[in-house]
Structures are given as C-alpha cells and as structure tokens.
Amino acid sequence: MGFFDSDIIQQEAKQLFEDYQALIKLGNGYGKFDRDGKKLFIEQMEAMMDRYRIFMKRFELSEDFMAQMTVEQLKTQLGQFGVTPQQMFDQMHLTLERMKGELEKQP
C-alpha cells in the first residue's frame, strides 16, 4: 500500500488542512482578541505547527515514492522563496515567540 493510500494518512491530512485553514481564518481577527484570546490563539498555532512538523516527518521517513516526491515538491516551492522547510518552521517559531513577547508587555 502506498503512503497516500492509507485512510489514516488521508484523514490526518484532511483534518490538518481544515484545522489550519480555520485557524488562519480566525487569526485574521487577532488584533481584536483580548489577552486570553491572543494567548489561546498562539497556543493553538504552536500545536498546529507541531502537528504539521510531525506529519512532514512521516513523509520524510517514508520510502514511498509519492511521499518522497511530496517532500521534494515542498523543498522546491519553499526554495523559490529562498527558504528550507526547517527555516520555515524556525521562522514560524520566532514569529510565535515574538507574539508571546508582545502579549507579555500588554497590561
């Protein structure tokens, strides 16, 4: 069975995508959130990034040709912006840390 033939992988990918889209949509109103709302949003984004990192690691560790092609496509797409997957995760982590720092400064 191929990597993408797995019902578990398909469901997880679908759920990850839907959760990410919902969180991004919610994040459009971030500036209007109260302090607790901002803290919760940051926590949810951190959890999302952890889920995404684990999901991508499954692709990297898989010997399935299509999984490896997906990893290479991601690297190519990010490479067009001069970024590696690790740099993408690092940048998101820095952004979330900066958001936390700004939150701590708020009364």
Side-chain angles (χ1 to χ4, degrees):
M1 173 169 32
F3 189 80
F4 291 102
D5 294 331
S6 166
D7 289 340
I8 293 170
I9 294 295
Q10 288 179 20
Q11 181 59 36
E12 190 169 343
K14 180 179 182 284
Q15 192 64 54
L16 188 60
F17 179 76
E18 288 173 358
D19 291 349
Y20 180 75
Q21 291 297 324
L23 199 52
I24 293 302
K25 186 176 179 182
L26 179 67
N28 288 332
Y30 181 82
K32 298 175 185 173
F33 296 168
D34 64 11
R35 191 173 194 286
D36 289 338
K38 288 178 180 179
K39 184 177 178 186
L40 183 59
F41 178 79
I42 292 168
E43 290 170 357
Q44 289 177 347
M45 278 301 292
E46 287 175 326
M48 177 64 62
M49 293 311 295
D50 287 343
R51 287 174 57 200
Y52 187 62
R53 186 179 291 115
I54 291 167
F55 194 71
M56 288 307 300
K57 187 55 77 175
R58 286 182 177 155
F59 279 86
E60 292 172 14
L61 295 175
S62 175
E63 295 178 7
D64 182 79
F65 176 75
M66 291 305 294
Q68 289 300 310
M69 286 299 300
T70 300
V71 170
E72 290 306 313
Q73 286 176 340
L74 176 64
K75 288 179 182 178
T76 299
Q77 289 171 350
L78 290 173
Q80 293 174 350
F81 298 101
V83 178
T84 66
Q86 185 59 50
Q87 289 171 324
M88 176 191 71
F89 285 116
D90 291 346
Q91 185 60 48
M92 190 61 189
H93 175 73
L94 287 173
T95 298
L96 291 171
E97 288 300 316
R98 194 174 315 120
M99 290 168 73
K100 283 185 201 175
E102 290 172 7
L103 192 57
E104 293 302 317
K105 294 176 187 174
Q106 289 183 351

